[in-house]
Each structure stands twice: as structure tokens, then as C-alpha cells.
Amino acid sequence: MAELRKLTDNVSGYVAEAVARQIRHQLLGEDLRRHQEEHGAFTEEELSEARARIFGAVRSTGQTDVA
């Protein structure tokens, strides 16, 4: 509990957000698995596009463009 208090004054809110984030992650994983079952595995092009949208596109200079 002391480690949590170092991170935030609102431990209850912090934990609630962590749980909500985990639930969203699990639901998204289920949706992605269902999509692949219905439509086949994602292509490398689809995965690259998804990564670029989520994490931003990396320019040749090594800098990141965030969409």
C-alpha cells in the first residue's frame, strides 16, 4: 500500500482505473480473436498499419509522428 501511495494520493481511483484498463484490454483481445476467426489472420500490412495508428508512424529520422 505504501508503494501505491508514492504513486498517487487517490489509491481507490488509481486501482479502479487499472481494473478498467485491464477489462478494456481483455475485451479488445476477445474482439481481435473473434475477428481473426471470422476473417482469417491479420496480414503484416494490417498489423503495421494498426501499430502506426496506435503508436505513431516512425519517420526516417527516427522521430515519431503521432496521429
Side-chain angles (χ1 to χ4, degrees):
M1 195 66 135
E3 291 299 316
L4 278 175
R5 293 203 188 282
K6 289 179 186 178
L7 297 172
T8 183
D9 292 333
N10 183 357
V11 173
S12 177
Y14 186 89
V15 171
E17 179 55 36
V19 170
R21 185 173 36 252
Q22 181 63 31
I23 291 170
R24 286 190 304 270
H25 179 78
Q26 289 173 335
L27 292 173
L28 177 59
E30 291 170 13
D31 285 346
L32 292 172
R33 277 189 293 282
R34 190 175 312 112
H35 179 85
Q36 289 190 92
E37 287 173 4
E38 293 175 12
H39 304 283
F42 293 107
T43 65
E44 194 55 45
E45 182 180 341
E46 290 170 323
L47 293 172
S48 293
E49 182 179 337
R51 286 184 193 104
R53 287 180 180 213
I54 293 168
F55 302 112
V58 177
R59 291 189 251 165
S60 60
T61 61
Q63 295 177 331
T64 303
D65 291 331
V66 178

